[in-house]
Amino acid sequence: MGIKVSLSAVREAIRAGVVHAHAAAADHHWQRWVDYCQSIHSDPWLYEIDDPVPILQVFGARYRDGRIAPCHRTVRSRTVEDALRAVGQTFARVGAQDIRKDAVGGIDFRIQRQLRSYAKADPPPSRVKPIPIQVIHHVLAVAFCAAGTCGSKAISDMIVIAFFFLLRPGEYTGTDTNNTFRLADVQLFIGHRRLDIMQAPPEDILAATSASLTFTTQKSGVRGEVVNHGRSGSLLACPVLAIARRVLHLRQNKATQDTPLATYYHGNRKHAVTATNISDALKTSVRTLGPTLGLIAEDISARSLRAGGAMALLCAQVDTNIIRLLGRWQSDVMMRYLHLQAQPIMRGFSRQMLVSGEYQLHPGQDVPVHN
């Protein structure tokens, strides 16, 4: 009994090593694998199969064409890759060989080729467009007008926080409590003096000159890493004041330090700001502002705020390495979020190219000698 309990604890520890949503997705992939194996009259652990790769390839093909995918339509190569990884890692978790891998531990050549062919056939990725600050100003103006509600103010504050801190939706909405920032992750400062956010007078909270978020359970940050912002100069579109407003609202409603920052109270009920709330607020403002920004509502989602913050930094000529650090990008994938359509990026380039496009090359050995 003791060994079984210990093994159960170890499995839970392994599952805790990934974000809850990823663990749940892996469980769903495994269940589809079990169903698939039953449909072909095979044991899901493939005990008597010498070469499991063809069976795994057929599973991938059926996932790709939608027959066993949850959406029941063709999925992208990355989705198939995720499903195959989940199956392989489930084998590895129980001490068996990851069935995706060859004898030297690499992904089997046949699976690599299959996934590569899917990737080539995939449609171009649909990138969300970055949010210009004008949209955020409009969202805030609507939320903080006389008719603004607790919910609209919470949504707009989380939009501001996400924009300035380059957050992913799961980090600044209140639905994924294992990934989102909590009240305990917040620090406020007046100069170098750190405030007790649960006890400091409201006037001190609103007088804060800088604010920090500490990464604790968020998947995109180094545990214990702190990102700090000073005041922006705006009374509404300011990361420090947006955090201060959230702190005061949560304090007034006797929230604990484990409460997600994206929580608000209306009457006696507790609510969470969702990614849909964020997307709807942004889309409404984009529709109102019209085509002057070069955007339509379909271009925008909650993910646009991370791209928008990065684009604002790029337009301000902030070094891309610093943008990567702030956004916690570990590769050049950041560049997928940045659009050359932003006018400040391209403004003046044609003039510079005209001036700098006249040059001579150092001659090679094949250039004839002039006498």
Side-chain angles (χ1 to χ4, degrees):
M1 175 64 80
I3 293 177
K4 289 183 179 179
V5 172
S6 297
L7 284 174
S8 177
V10 169
R11 292 192 186 101
E12 287 303 313
I14 293 172
R15 283 178 55 82
V18 296
V19 176
H20 174 72
H22 286 186
D27 289 343
H28 292 314
H29 289 318
W30 175 255
Q31 185 57 53
R32 292 185 189 98
W33 167 257
V34 171
D35 294 341
Y36 157 72
C37 287
Q38 289 177 350
S39 72
I40 62 172
H41 308 291
S42 176
D43 184 274
W45 296 104
L46 307 179
Y47 288 118
E48 299 180 357
I49 305 296
D50 293 330
D51 182 7
V53 171
I55 294 177
L56 189 62
Q57 284 186 288
V58 175
F59 173 73
R62 293 186 181 182
Y63 212 112
R64 167 71 168 183
D65 66 25
R67 273 181 283 175
I68 58 178
C71 61
H72 301 297
R73 61 176 182 271
T74 302
V75 299
R76 290 180 176 271
S77 59
R78 288 293 298 273
T79 305
V80 178
E81 185 178 1
D82 289 343
L84 299 184
R85 183 187 301 112
V87 172
Q89 289 180 346
T90 301
F91 274 77
R93 281 204 299 270
V94 298
Q97 172 70 29
D98 184 331
I99 60 174
R100 298 172 301 152
K101 296 185 176 181
D102 56 27
V104 295
I107 300 300
D108 188 274
F109 172 79
R110 292 164 289 180
I111 293 176
Q112 288 186 47
R113 279 295 178 90
Q114 182 179 8
L115 292 173
R116 193 174 304 155
S117 71
Y118 292 163
K120 288 181 178 179
D122 279 347
S126 56
R127 294 190 301 168
V128 296
K129 290 189 176 179
I131 287 287
I133 195 67
Q134 300 98 301
V135 174
I136 295 176
H137 283 310
H138 187 272
V139 170
L140 287 163
V142 172
F144 284 89
C145 70
T149 65
C150 290
S152 63
K153 291 175 182 177
I155 292 166
S156 63
D157 279 339
M158 296 315 300
I159 283 173
V160 170
I161 294 167
F163 177 85
F164 282 98
F165 284 92
L166 308 189
L167 302 183
R168 292 180 172 90
E171 296 168 339
Y172 70 89
T173 56
T175 49
D176 183 358
T177 55
N178 292 307
N179 192 36
T180 190
F181 283 99
R182 305 161 301 152
L183 195 53
D185 301 323
V186 169
Q187 301 86 43
L188 289 170
F189 301 84
I190 297 179
H192 295 294
R193 178 167 64 93
R194 180 177 174 180
L195 302 176
D196 182 339
I197 63 170
M198 303 304 288
Q199 300 293 334
E203 56 269 23
D204 281 1
I205 297 293
L206 293 173
T209 56
S210 66
S212 298
L213 293 178
T214 300
F215 286 85
T216 51
T217 60
Q218 295 73 29
K219 68 175 182 179
S220 65
V222 177
R223 189 174 177 85
E225 184 176 28
V226 178
V227 179
N228 181 278
H229 267 300
R231 289 210 183 203
S232 69
S234 167
L235 291 177
L236 292 179
C238 173
V240 180
L241 290 175
I243 288 177
R245 290 190 292 264
R246 290 297 89 217
V247 167
L248 290 178
H249 175 79
L250 294 176
R251 270 179 36 173
Q252 289 164 3
N253 289 278
K254 297 181 173 54
T256 67
Q257 292 213 13
D258 287 331
T259 304
L261 198 56
T263 302
Y264 68 93
Y265 296 82
H266 183 68
N268 295 321
R269 297 188 61 185
K270 179 180 177 181
H271 303 269
V273 174
T274 67
T276 300
N277 295 151
I278 299 290
S279 296
D280 289 346
L282 294 173
K283 289 174 183 290
T284 298
S285 286
V286 167
R287 291 189 188 100
T288 302
L289 294 176
T292 56
L293 299 177
L295 293 172
I296 58 174
E298 288 70 24
D299 293 330
I300 300 303
S301 77
R303 293 184 295 121
S304 298
L305 290 167
R306 181 168 164 84
M311 178 58 78
L313 291 168
L314 187 66
C315 290
Q317 299 184 346
V318 174
D319 186 273
T320 54
N321 287 326
I322 295 176
I323 300 175
R324 278 179 56 181
L325 283 173
L326 180 58
R328 302 156 319 278
W329 280 287
Q330 297 180 7
S331 69
D332 289 333
V333 70
M334 171 195 73
M335 301 309 294
R336 298 179 190 172
Y337 291 86
L338 306 182
H339 285 250
L340 291 176
Q341 288 174 257
Q343 289 185 14
I345 299 296
M346 298 302 294
R347 185 181 297 141
F349 273 16
S350 61
R351 186 179 299 107
Q352 294 177 45
M353 293 167 75
L354 183 65
V355 172
S356 303
E358 184 177 323
Y359 50 82
Q360 288 180 310
L361 301 176
H362 289 291
Q365 292 294 333
D366 55 346
V367 175
V369 177
H370 292 283
N371 294 321

